């Protein structure tokens, strides 16, 4: 994998002083996961693997899986998550000005999931678009929605992150299939007169020199040089786990540090680190680097695996419903994923 040196740039930014006359608040959260569970014991029956290997290397014990017979997919999960977030916010769907869905597993490419999610929740003719930023979809979405609201373009925006990863797994590939599950997380963001609230610093990056470490080929022409295209690999996630692991450990830590620097904060100033759940070891490395107490870095990968764009919003919703995320606190959202992409969003709640 090409060496990559995440750098500070215009994509790392503290909000310019005095610019926003509008604040942004998280008005409500929601999430949705399918009922069907896929446990490590299930994988022991399907593949040459063990519960012990999976738990030690990843921290995962089970994941959720959409049931196509019930019509479950990324569109239905996203709809449910956003509906729950609207109920939680006590905001009528008709007040949404925009619906943003981060996903790399949409039901169809056209129409986007977001168009149908907006229609299903009753958002009228609100703007709707999907973001294809892999696991960064939700965090990119938070930053974009914050900017749209602060600019005065919109007042209320629904942001959803959702992936139906089990639909793109090769269940004969033990290196990849044990990692992923299905989930959606959503937040309703709304303008507020309190200008201290909303994003206080953020970063949004991509570097395609590492694209071949994580990709979803749709045709044989999509494979990188050196890979043998086969029909079995089409529409199945291909991953160089070790390369992604190294990238993730370095990027996560550097991204957190630069975002804190942009905001002039120290690691201990942040109340919640709400991070993409890709591997418990990657999260633990960041927790150790910054000396964070366990309660500040939320981990639920044991229950859901890596749910790609779904994971950060799902963590937020679990924390939110537990009453742990409170007005005035600082929450740092962080993700990395295919592209390769990486992004942060530091919020004054
Ligand atoms: N069960 C048993 N053995 C396994 C399994 C398994 N499920 N998978 C791999 N192995 C074996 C390998 O074949 C290898 O055996 P060998 O030494 O005989 O060849 C051995 O275990 C070690 O394999 P590694 O790939 O070196 O294992 P590693 O410790 O790197 O863990 C893992 C693999 C968990 C995939 C890790 O690399 C990882 O988490 N990478 C990051 C993945 C990630 O975050 N991806 C998504 C990010 S972006 C997004 O979310 C879309």
């Amino acid at each position: 994998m090409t060496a990559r040196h995440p750098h500070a740039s215009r994509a790392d930014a503290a909000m310019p002083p005095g610019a926003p006359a509008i604040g942004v608040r998280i008005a409500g959260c929601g999430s949705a996961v399918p009922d069907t569970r896929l446990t490590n014991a299930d994988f022991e029956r399907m593949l040459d693997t063990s519960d012990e290997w999976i738990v030690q290397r990843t921290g995962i014990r089970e994941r959720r899986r959409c049931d196509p017979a019930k019509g479950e997919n990324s569109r239905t999960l996203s709809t449910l998550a956003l509906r729950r977030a609207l109920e939680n916010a006590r905001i009528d769907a008709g007040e949404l000005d925009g619906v943003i869905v981060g996903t790399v597993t949409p039901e169809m490419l056209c129409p986007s999931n977001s168009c149908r999610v907006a229609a299903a929740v009753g958002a009228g003719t609100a703007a709707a678009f999907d973001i294809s930023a892999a696991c960064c979809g939700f965090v990119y979405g938070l930053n974009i929605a914050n900017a749209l609201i602060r600019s005065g373009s919109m007042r209320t925006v629904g942001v959803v992150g959702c992936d139906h990863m089990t639909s793109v797994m090769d269940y004969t590939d033990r290196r990849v299939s044990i990692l992923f599950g299905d989930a959606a997380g959503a937040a309703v963001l709304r303008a507020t007169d309190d200008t201290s609230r909303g994003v206080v610093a953020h970063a949004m990056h991509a570097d395609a020199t590492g694209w071949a470490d994580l990709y979803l080929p749709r045709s044989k022409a999509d494979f990188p040089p050196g890979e043998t295209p086969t029909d079995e690999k089409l529409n199945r996630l291909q991953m160089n786990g070790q390369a992604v692991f190294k990238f993730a450990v370095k990027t996560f830590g550097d991204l957190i540090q630069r975002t804190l620097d942009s905001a002039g904060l120290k690691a201990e100033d942040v109340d919640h680190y709400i991070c993409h759940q890709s591997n418990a070891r990657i999260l633990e490395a960041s927790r150790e680097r910054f000396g964070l107490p366990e309660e500040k870095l939320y981990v639920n990968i044991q229950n859901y695996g890596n749910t790609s764009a779904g994971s950060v919003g799902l963590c937020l919703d679990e924390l939110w419903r537990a009453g742990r995320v409170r007005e005035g606190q600082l929450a740092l959202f962080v993700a990395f994923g295919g592209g390769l992409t990486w992004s942060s969003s530091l919020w004054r709640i």
Side-chain angles (χ1 to χ4, degrees):
M1 181 172 149
T2 313
R4 194 173 295 100
H5 300 289
H7 53 282
S9 72
R10 277 172 301 157
D12 295 279
M15 292 300 115
I22 304 169
V24 184
R25 68 184 175 93
I26 298 174
C29 297
S31 62
V33 294
D35 290 336
T36 309
R37 288 163 202 261
L38 196 51
T39 65
N40 290 352
D42 293 327
F43 276 103
E44 284 177 336
R45 284 188 285 275
M46 284 156 50
L47 291 168
D48 178 16
T49 190
S50 66
D51 174 57
E52 188 189 5
W53 192 97
I54 299 172
V55 172
Q56 268 184 9
R57 301 289 179 120
T58 72
I60 301 167
R61 293 184 184 277
E62 62 178 35
R63 321 108 189 101
R64 301 299 182 96
R65 184 180 194 173
C66 285
D67 183 351
K70 290 188 198 159
E72 290 173 338
N73 61 23
S74 61
R75 173 179 58 80
T76 64
L77 286 185
S78 296
T79 301
L80 203 50
L82 182 56
R83 202 171 270 146
R84 288 173 175 161
L86 286 162
E87 279 165 15
N88 179 250
R90 296 183 189 176
I91 287 177
D92 189 86
E95 294 178 51
L96 286 171
D97 301 306
V99 173
I100 302 172
V101 177
T103 185
V104 287
T105 50
E107 184 180 62
M108 289 184 257
L109 282 177
C110 183
S112 66
N113 268 10
S114 55
C115 288
R116 295 192 62 195
V117 169
V121 299
T125 57
F129 58 93
D130 286 3
I131 302 173
S132 179
C135 309
C136 288
F138 186 76
V139 181
Y140 266 45
L142 288 178
N143 288 330
I144 293 167
N146 176 81
L148 284 166
I149 294 171
R150 289 224 199 235
S151 73
S153 302
M154 295 186 181
R155 272 192 70 74
T156 309
V157 180
V159 178
V160 185
C162 178
D163 270 308
H164 182 182
M165 296 306 286
T166 63
S167 69
V168 293
M169 285 301 114
D170 170 0
Y171 283 105
T172 66
D173 182 352
R174 66 177 183 174
R175 296 170 307 115
V176 181
S177 61
I178 52 114
L179 292 171
F180 292 92
D182 303 332
V188 174
L189 309 183
R190 173 160 263 201
T192 167
D193 292 338
D194 183 349
T195 56
S196 70
R197 298 175 76 181
V199 173
V200 294
H202 74 273
M204 294 169 76
H205 292 281
D207 179 354
T209 57
W211 75 266
D213 290 326
L214 194 59
Y215 64 101
L216 191 46
R218 292 197 298 176
S219 83
K220 289 191 175 172
D222 292 341
F223 288 82
E227 283 296 322
T228 311
T230 64
D231 286 335
E232 292 70 35
K233 289 181 182 169
L234 293 180
N235 298 305
R236 298 290 171 257
L237 190 72
Q238 306 297 313
M239 183 179 78
N240 178 347
Q242 285 187 0
V244 176
F245 190 89
K246 281 185 203 142
F247 162 76
V249 169
K250 174 153 176 42
T251 305
F252 242 52
D254 290 355
L255 187 55
I256 290 171
Q257 188 59 59
R258 287 201 321 275
T259 309
L260 292 170
D261 291 347
S262 298
L265 294 169
K266 294 196 170 58
E268 59 265 31
D269 297 330
V270 174
D271 298 287
H272 301 284
Y273 288 81
I274 306 178
C275 302
H276 174 47
Q277 308 282 302
S278 58
N279 185 318
R281 289 188 290 149
I282 295 173
L283 295 169
E284 187 57 23
S286 292
R287 204 178 67 72
E288 279 176 14
R289 173 167 164 181
F290 293 98
L292 305 175
E294 277 184 17
E295 63 272 15
K296 282 200 174 186
L297 199 159
Y298 193 65
V299 178
N300 64 7
I301 192 171
Q302 66 280 8
N303 298 326
Y304 306 110
N306 179 342
T307 60
S308 186
S311 82
V312 174
L314 178 60
C315 288
L316 170 63
D317 186 45
E318 291 193 341
L319 282 164
W320 184 265
R321 282 170 195 266
R324 289 175 57 187
V325 180
R326 294 185 291 277
E327 187 175 337
Q329 287 184 328
L330 284 164
L332 177 54
F333 301 91
V334 193
F336 71 93
L340 298 168
T341 52
W342 60 104
S343 183
S344 65
S345 190
L346 177 60
W347 280 69
R348 172 73 64 189
I349 301 293

